[in-house]
Amino acid sequence: MTYLATETRGDIALIGLNRPEKRNAISDAFVEELEAAVAEAETHAKAGVIHGIGPHFCAGLDLAEHVKKTPFEGVHGSRQWHRVFDRIQRGRLPWFSALHGAVVGGGLELAASTHVRVADSTAFFALPEGQRGIFVGGGGSVRAARLMGVARMTDLMLTGRSVDAATAEAWNLVQYVVPEGTALERAVALAEKAATNAEISNYAVINALPRIQDMSSDDGLFVESFIASFTATSPEAEARLNAFLAKKAAKVSKPGDDGA
Ligand code: 1HE
């Protein structure tokens, strides 16, 4: 692999963005490689972690490549990012991202396609597209806007300012903030938790929840009933429910007891 360093730790697939000399800037070939790595992870892992190698998570779009494109090539490029990030968001696996340093532009869009974001205290977040004369093209206007809200995203894009990890947590951009240098370790620990869930439950969480948010309340509740029934009547659910009733399954832990 040219742009990625992949690794398997038990049930967890790790994808390291590995172009540190260019701050993990994402070119067309890079995003294609990411798609292949996600597809490969789906063949064997139960959860995945995406992280950045070097001083930053990701500096976003490879600006050197972007200047050479025609308008129509730009559309295809953006649609390619959409396809790859959609495979992360609505694929087979729950994905966790471990964030440090710059999480900017397309890097923030990539992080927004993962399901749980863990930032260390060095992480900073920005959408400098306006400064570059461009617009988000990796799904940011949908995913990032829904996470932080349109008003905050508008502010980030108009001012080009950065926000720190604590602000990103307050803005719902990340779910965890951890000490410097520990985001990867925490993201792997969280992914290991998710890997112990029933696969069908994880699939429902990552595929049904975002779709239900796009529905009316009435439609969402209707769809929820079918998913609830479909999962609850699976053989795995029966085995897990019986294990709990036979006192052979772990109880729900108190906050902090499980390391999360
Ligand atoms: C790059 C890129 C890049 C760095 N494309 N080459 N993204 C941005 O506007 C962010 C632009 N980058 C930065 O603001 C800074 O590089 C960072 C704050 C991320 C990191 O700073 P630093 O001091 O650690 O690194 P550096 O010295 O700025 O960069 C090291 C090298 O990486 C340097 O190349 P070199 O050949 O001179 O060594 C930089 O040119 C190169 N580099 N970032 C190409 N992004 C699907 S639409 C998404 C739209 C967007 O993502 S817009 C946001 C683009």
Side-chain angles (χ1 to χ4, degrees), residues 3-220:
Y3 300 108
L4 302 174
T6 58
E7 189 189 330
T8 301
R9 288 192 203 166
D11 287 330
I12 314 303
L14 272 69
I15 298 181
L17 312 179
N18 189 23
R19 196 191 182 197
E21 71 287 358
K22 294 289 179 191
R23 305 312 185 238
N24 299 330
I26 301 177
S27 61
D28 288 349
F30 191 132
V31 83
E32 263 172 39
E33 207 175 286
L34 181 58
E35 183 172 31
V38 169
E40 203 276 329
E42 287 183 348
T43 65
H44 63 85
K46 291 189 175 162
V49 174
I50 298 177
H51 63 104
I53 293 167
H56 302 283
F57 174 70
C58 178
L61 178 72
D62 183 337
L63 296 167
E65 191 172 69
H66 202 67
V67 289
K68 296 173 199 136
K69 287 194 170 161
T70 66
F72 202 35
E73 284 167 350
V75 172
H76 286 309
S78 169
R79 296 300 289 160
Q80 184 192 30
W81 282 51
H82 289 167
R83 192 181 68 241
V84 178
F85 290 5
D86 202 56
R87 177 129 194 193
I88 294 169
Q89 190 192 17
R90 299 182 186 194
R92 294 185 57 160
L93 299 180
W95 286 97
F96 294 71
S97 48
L99 310 173
H100 74 291
V103 184
V104 306
L108 177 50
E109 294 180 297
L110 170 58
S113 74
T114 64
H115 304 101
V116 177
R117 288 159 292 279
V118 181
D120 86 4
S121 53
T122 69
F124 58 97
F125 301 79
L127 291 168
E129 280 81 352
Q131 297 289 308
R132 312 287 173 235
I134 58 177
F135 190 63
V136 285
S141 56
V142 174
R143 294 192 189 93
R146 284 188 187 178
L147 288 175
M148 71 179 111
V150 171
R152 287 172 176 144
M153 181 157 164
T154 303
D155 170 33
L156 282 192
M157 293 199 73
L158 290 180
T159 64
R161 75 180 171 114
S162 294
V163 293
D164 63 13
T167 305
E169 186 183 26
W171 284 13
N172 196 39
L173 269 177
V174 304
Q175 291 99 318
Y176 296 84
V177 178
V178 299
E180 180 173 354
T182 66
L184 179 57
E185 174 196 329
R186 179 65 79 88
V188 170
L190 295 167
E192 281 168 348
K193 294 269 179 207
T196 66
N197 290 342
E199 197 181 353
I200 194 170
S201 300
N202 282 346
Y203 188 79
V205 169
I206 66 177
N207 282 282
L209 266 183
R211 286 182 171 86
I212 289 173
Q213 304 321 298
D214 289 341
M215 296 175 189
S216 66
S217 298
D218 192 40
D219 289 345

